[in-house]
Amino acid sequence: MSEDILDTVEFDDEGFMVDASAWTEGIGQAIAEALEVDLTDRHWLVINYARKEFEGNGEPPTLRRITTQTDVSMKEMYKLFPGGPAKIAANIAGLKKPTGCI
Amino acid sequence: MAKPSRALHKTSSGSENRKLALISSKGSLDMAYPPLILANAARMSGIDVEMFFTFWGLDIITKNKMSKLKVATVGNPNMHPSFHIPTILGAIPGMSAMASTMMRKEIAALDFPPVPEFIQLVMDAGANVYGCKMSMDMMKLTQDDLVDGATVLGAMEFMDITEGAQVLFV
């Protein structure tokens, strides 16, 4: 059960994973369900890109970086992850809360 | 420690969305960015945004002005430190253009888009953009002069739209 998976993961006070390396696709799926996001291929494209960026420089990508480095537009990002696209994408990807303001 | 939840991503505990009203009244390059950055930050935080461009702020959403905004090199007390130009030198023709070019480069280095692209970005992010009707009449501007997606609006209508919002005047 996906509910159980989240019990095995450590989160901070805002619900972001403490250890990004402990993330699995199953955990990502479970976080997405908790955030009421139905994952599609487009979501996974963003999630995988965010994880790749994080591995490179230790920071989740800014929203602008996601929209300039992938073919996902700003409008689509707000549709895919309503209510805070950069934060919610990072949350599902098991990354820390993004601090970039663009 | 908290499990991820929708509630943790809400910026207010009320049932209605938090709303930000941004009034942009200055059209210099340095004063165009703060309202755009704040509007974008608000949308990224799930906050509704209504932007009202009035007086010189109208330049920011005027098609033939928005890509040519300048930073003033005379009478601008904020020309420091990397941009510092003494006022007496600031008056030399071309100084403002030079300082504006430098500032555009610094802004681009931070991955912030140029003003026209930034306006499109905040509109794509769901911010509503309005031109002040009275200022437009004064400057002989019509809807056609404004960037696509912007709406002409009277100040009183803006008050109606922003009922209950938090207000920022820039």
Side-chain angles (χ1 to χ4, degrees):
Chain A
M1 283 299 289
S2 55
E3 288 279 320
D4 299 331
I5 283 189
L6 294 185
D7 286 331
T8 67
V9 182
E10 198 184 344
F11 295 101
D12 67 14
D13 289 341
E14 294 178 285
F16 289 81
M17 276 179 71
V18 173
D19 178 11
S21 66
W23 183 88
T24 62
E25 288 193 0
I27 292 172
Q29 185 74 50
I31 296 174
E33 277 169 32
L35 298 181
E36 297 161 35
V37 176
D38 289 330
L39 294 180
T40 66
D41 288 352
R42 299 296 282 171
H43 292 89
W44 281 111
L45 189 156
V46 173
I47 293 162
N48 289 330
Y49 172 73
R51 287 203 59 89
K52 201 179 81 189
E53 272 278 302
F54 183 81
E55 278 166 29
N57 61 18
E59 291 293 329
T62 61
L63 180 55
R64 174 156 165 84
R65 194 153 167 82
I66 294 170
T67 59
T68 53
Q69 300 298 313
T70 70
D71 68 345
V72 182
S73 71
M74 192 60 75
K75 273 187 187 168
E76 189 178 2
M77 278 300 290
Y78 277 89
K79 279 206 194 91
L80 294 174
F81 304 98
K87 281 193 303 172
I88 290 174
N91 203 167
I92 295 171
L95 309 177
K96 60 184 178 181
K97 187 178 174 182
T99 52
C101 61
I102 180 75
Chain B
M1 163 140 177
K3 265 203 228 182
S5 73
R6 202 72 209 161
L8 286 173
H9 282 281
K10 287 254 185 214
T11 55
S12 58
S13 51
S15 55
E16 275 187 79
N17 259 0
R18 200 171 137 191
K19 188 188 272 195
L20 179 66
L22 273 160
I23 300 161
S24 172
S25 70
K26 297 175 190 72
S28 60
L29 182 62
D30 46 332
M31 292 307 278
Y33 276 88
L36 290 171
I37 291 168
L38 290 168
N40 181 57
R43 287 302 303 135
M44 290 205 305
S45 305
I47 299 169
D48 292 344
V49 175
E50 310 286 352
M51 298 188 86
F52 193 65
F53 292 84
T54 185
F55 274 83
W56 317 127
L58 265 180
D59 286 358
I60 300 168
I61 57 166
T62 303
K63 275 185 219 156
N64 66 2
K65 298 250 179 71
M66 60 199 304
S67 57
K68 301 175 205 155
L69 303 181
K70 297 266 191 301
V71 52
T73 48
V74 173
N76 184 347
N78 304 313
M79 296 297 291
H80 68 82
S82 62
F83 287 89
H84 184 75
I85 298 167
T87 289
I88 194 152
L89 295 181
I92 296 170
M95 270 304 204
S96 175
M98 192 193 77
S100 305
T101 303
M102 279 169 65
M103 186 174 275
R104 279 182 227 284
K105 277 188 191 151
E106 303 253 351
I107 289 166
L110 295 173
D111 202 27
F112 284 87
V115 168
E117 198 186 322
F118 212 157
I119 286 286
Q120 190 60 51
L121 189 159
V122 296
M123 289 195 297
D124 286 349
N128 292 318
V129 170
Y130 307 103
C132 166
K133 184 167 189 314
M134 179 256 164
S135 306
M136 290 180 65
D137 290 346
M138 190 179 83
M139 297 174 192
K140 310 273 188 290
L141 295 172
T142 68
Q143 171 83 54
D144 290 342
D145 296 308
L146 298 186
V147 67
D148 293 341
T151 314
V152 182
L153 200 73
M156 278 168 60
E157 291 166 286
F158 187 69
M159 292 302 121
D160 292 341
I161 288 171
T162 57
E163 186 184 344
Q166 292 165 308
V167 185
L168 274 177
F169 183 89
V170 180

